[in-house]
Amino acid sequence: MSVTKRLVSIFLFFACSLPVRGYDVLVSVTGNLIANTCVVAADSLEKNVPLGDIGTRQLSKAGAVSNIKTPFTLTLEACGPTFSGAKIRFSGSPDDIDPRLLKVADGGATGVAVQILDKDGALVPLDTQTTAYGVAGNDSVQMNFYARLIATGPDVTAGDVSAIATWTTEYQ
């Protein structure tokens, strides 16, 4: 190999092995962590809402409701000074006939479902947010609801009633 070819090869070797320059890029992420979430009160972590004994005669046609409307309260506490309200959403297995209602577990009563009502007695459909509960700056909030049975069809059969709902909180 000639001297020229060797020099060109050496030059190319060093030219190709020069360090590549990169640029430093700074990404700055900022924010402010605030304590606006509340703590679910111990007595609200699991609620058993007894509907009592209800006669099938009360539920003789679709849309008929039981005369027992059982109240229950969900409580949030330690909300902090930035609390401005909370909306609740109930979810669970929807009834086959009316998906706004909670389905009663298989193996029990048939032709009925469970309604969840707000403090004024208005239906709270499944997977729908309530209006905001609580007042800005309050340390705790009690949210009052009711549960009752409703006939979803004309053929109601007696049996145990069991339904499970989960509640989710959205802070304002």
Side-chain angles (χ1 to χ4, degrees):
M1 189 184 262
S2 73
V3 174
T4 308
K5 285 185 181 179
R6 283 186 187 170
L7 287 175
V8 171
S9 296
I10 292 172
F11 175 76
L12 286 175
F13 173 74
F14 283 113
C16 290
S17 63
L18 289 176
V20 177
R21 291 198 172 141
Y23 294 96
D24 290 332
V25 177
L26 175 64
V27 176
S28 178
V29 178
T30 61
N32 185 21
L33 180 63
I34 59 173
N36 67 334
T37 59
C38 304
V39 175
V40 177
D43 68 346
S44 295
L45 290 172
E46 283 190 26
K47 281 285 186 187
N48 290 314
V49 182
L51 295 177
D53 294 327
I54 300 165
T56 56
R57 256 192 243 155
Q58 290 182 46
L59 306 171
S60 60
K61 62 181 179 180
V65 295
S66 66
N67 62 355
I68 298 175
K69 188 169 72 170
T70 306
F72 64 99
T73 301
L74 302 175
T75 304
L76 299 173
E77 53 193 18
C79 295
T82 59
F83 176 78
S84 62
K87 293 181 180 181
I88 301 301
R89 178 186 309 262
F90 290 98
S91 59
S93 296
D95 182 68
D96 295 332
I97 296 171
D98 188 344
R100 301 174 305 159
L101 309 173
L102 270 173
K103 181 179 183 174
V104 172
D106 293 336
T110 62
V112 294
V114 176
Q115 280 185 327
I116 297 176
L117 309 171
D118 67 12
K119 64 181 171 39
D120 298 320
L123 176 66
V124 178
L126 287 180
D127 298 317
T128 303
Q129 275 186 336
T130 64
T131 58
Y133 285 87
V135 177
N138 276 8
D139 190 50
S140 66
V141 60
Q142 291 188 331
M143 301 164 288
N144 298 310
F145 298 96
Y146 297 93
R148 74 175 172 195
L149 284 182
I150 182 170
T152 56
D155 299 321
V156 173
T157 60
D160 291 332
V161 172
S162 177
I164 296 175
T166 303
W167 61 287
T168 307
T169 306
E170 179 185 302
Y171 297 99
Q172 303 302 295

